[in-house]
Amino acid sequence: MRSRRPAPLNALRTFEAAARHLSFTAAARQLFVTPAAVSHQVKQLEAYLGLPLFQRQHRAVVLTDAGRALAATLGEVFGHLDRALDQAMSQAAAVLRVTTLESFAAKWLVPRLHRFHRAWPGIQVRIETGDAPADFVHDGLDVGLRYGAGGYAGVHAERLMDAAVFPVCAPALLLGPHPLHVPGDLRHHTLLHDRTAVGRPGVPGWADWLEAAGAADADTGAGPVFTSAYLAQEAAIAGHGVALGIGPLVADDLQRGRLLRPYAQTSENAYAFWLVRRDTPMPTPAVDAFCQWLRDEASNERASVR
């Protein structure tokens, strides 16, 4: 075998970041160094290999064939390394990073989380909210909870709960001059809109629900529009109008009497709530425990609404 000097690991890590971003500047931000330091590390690696890894162009860099092949291999190698380190660290610290939507965190996950902490006091859960695609390897995430149509690539995903849609309102609206006896009564009330339902095939909005309920004469263009289901739901609780509730997100408020469901009519939803995790044969015990707890909580909720 041909002998060679030990591989420059820092240069390899720097090159992998630069190749993933196709930018020395972006790699520098990730690694907390200067772009000049990234350039120096890449040149050191190219000198070690004796071949170019990037083609330097005006204000851009492009991978060579050799650079592309090395970057693909390093992505897998560092991914395995990060997972191994995460698993080792989880045995000592048992910290779980969970990414989810603000609406789901506020209205479903957080109100139940005390039960997980009671069952697993040695596991610390850190919740991060957002709806961007989750990069489990490079962002150090353990579990994702998403609202969507499924088909998530590169991860293990399982359907956690359906997301049926139906109107909800504050109890006071049933006592006013226009109580909600039939769907047509909605024309006397403010409809609260969730912008995240717009433009998503199979996700019902007010026009879909009203048409299915036989009350298509209501004005679906009027009423305030909110950036999340959570905000629309809070507006309904405050008595500002009628919102389209998403089943799991309104369950607690319905149970506590903060919201009422004036009509039994339900619209099916092509979107659901999904449990997403790394597609790896070596999940940590903490991840397994949290995922099983989520399944149990979802199952208990389904049983309670039957």
Side-chain angles (χ1 to χ4, degrees):
M1 295 179 60
R2 181 174 65 87
S3 62
R4 58 174 170 77
R5 293 176 290 116
L9 294 180
N10 191 41
L12 287 169
R13 177 68 92 170
T14 301
F15 164 72
E16 190 277 334
R20 180 158 32 87
H21 293 290
L22 285 179
S23 166
F24 287 4
T25 301
R29 283 197 297 266
Q30 176 189 322
L31 300 172
F32 299 102
V33 298
T34 65
V38 172
S39 178
H40 174 76
Q41 289 291 332
V42 171
K43 288 179 180 178
Q44 179 185 345
L45 181 59
E46 289 176 324
Y48 172 85
L49 296 171
L51 51 83
L53 299 173
F54 285 104
Q55 293 177 356
R56 276 74 169 176
Q57 300 179 350
H58 179 61
R59 303 181 67 178
V61 291
V62 179
L63 286 166
T64 63
D65 290 342
R68 193 176 299 107
L70 180 60
T73 300
L74 288 177
E76 295 180 8
V77 169
F78 285 127
H80 287 305
L81 177 60
D82 287 340
R83 287 193 291 272
L85 292 173
D86 285 347
Q87 186 170 13
M89 292 172 65
S90 70
Q91 303 301 318
V95 175
L96 278 180
R97 290 183 62 191
V98 179
T99 171
T100 185
L101 306 175
E102 179 188 40
S103 298
F104 193 80
K107 288 300 184 180
W108 194 90
L109 180 58
V110 171
R112 292 162 173 75
L113 200 56
H114 67 282
R115 293 199 281 266
F116 178 78
H117 288 150
R118 187 166 58 239
W120 298 91
I123 301 176
Q124 182 185 50
V125 179
R126 297 182 181 176
I127 298 175
E128 304 172 17
T129 59
D131 58 1
D135 188 331
F136 287 92
V137 173
H138 295 107
D139 294 341
L141 300 169
D142 297 296
V143 178
L145 293 159
R146 287 293 183 263
Y147 173 63
Y152 301 103
V155 294
H156 174 77
E158 58 183 280
R159 194 182 185 103
L160 187 65
M161 289 182 291
D162 291 337
V165 172
F166 46 83
V168 291
C169 65
L173 263 66
L174 301 184
L175 305 176
H178 300 289
L180 296 168
H181 295 310
V182 296
D185 294 332
L186 285 168
R187 67 181 182 275
H188 302 296
H189 293 269
T190 299
L191 302 184
L192 307 174
H193 303 270
D194 168 16
R195 192 178 69 186
T196 60
V198 177
R200 295 182 172 182
V203 179
W206 269 116
D208 303 297
W209 188 91
L210 288 164
E211 182 178 3
D217 58 332
D219 183 4
T220 59
V225 180
F226 298 90
T227 57
S228 71
Y230 167 64
L231 294 176
Q233 189 171 327
E234 287 299 303
I237 291 171
H240 298 319
V242 185
L244 277 179
I246 300 173
L249 301 187
V250 298
D252 278 3
D253 287 324
L254 289 171
Q255 184 176 9
R256 296 178 184 181
R258 284 155 50 93
L259 287 174
L260 291 177
R261 183 176 174 178
Y263 310 113
Q265 176 76 31
T266 295
S267 290
E268 296 302 315
N269 192 346
Y271 277 27
F273 291 99
W274 295 81
L275 169 59
V276 184
R277 58 193 291 184
R278 292 179 180 176
D279 192 8
T280 171
M282 299 185 300
T284 68
V287 170
D288 278 341
F290 188 70
C291 289
Q292 187 56 52
W293 174 78
L294 288 169
R295 296 185 195 102
D296 293 342
E297 288 289 324
S299 178
N300 292 339
E301 179 161 309
R302 287 193 295 270
S304 69
V305 299
R306 288 187 184 129

